[in-house]
Amino acid sequence: EEGRLVSTQEPEPGDEVVLRTGGPVMTVLGSDDDQPRELFCVWFDEHRRRCQGTFRSELLKIVE
């Protein structure tokens, strides 16, 4: 596809990902059927609190 950031693959549920700009390792839980490029992720902060957020797939890279 034209104009996409190069990535080896689209993150899928269960994948560990990080933002391309850095940050904590997050786990992809899934996406909304209406917005498949918007991925719902969870992670734990330094106090072991559960955090969550939704990120566009092109902002994420899979942790190898």
Side-chain angles (χ1 to χ4, degrees):
E1 293 174 53
E2 289 277 336
R4 270 196 64 198
L5 289 173
V6 176
S7 88
T8 52
Q9 63 190 72
E10 284 284 304
E12 296 179 0
D15 284 342
E16 290 190 326
V17 296
V18 293
L19 285 169
R20 291 181 179 275
T21 54
V25 175
M26 305 180 287
T27 302
V28 177
L29 290 188
S31 62
D32 187 329
D33 290 337
D34 296 332
Q35 297 287 334
R37 304 288 296 270
E38 298 277 328
L39 300 179
F40 182 68
C41 301
V42 296
W43 67 97
F44 292 91
D45 69 11
E46 63 273 10
H47 304 294
R48 300 181 70 118
R49 286 183 297 225
R50 184 180 186 270
C51 304
Q52 60 191 44
T54 303
F55 304 93
R56 288 192 54 85
S57 61
E58 59 265 29
L59 301 178
L60 302 170
K61 61 182 178 183
I62 296 172
V63 176
E64 299 297 340

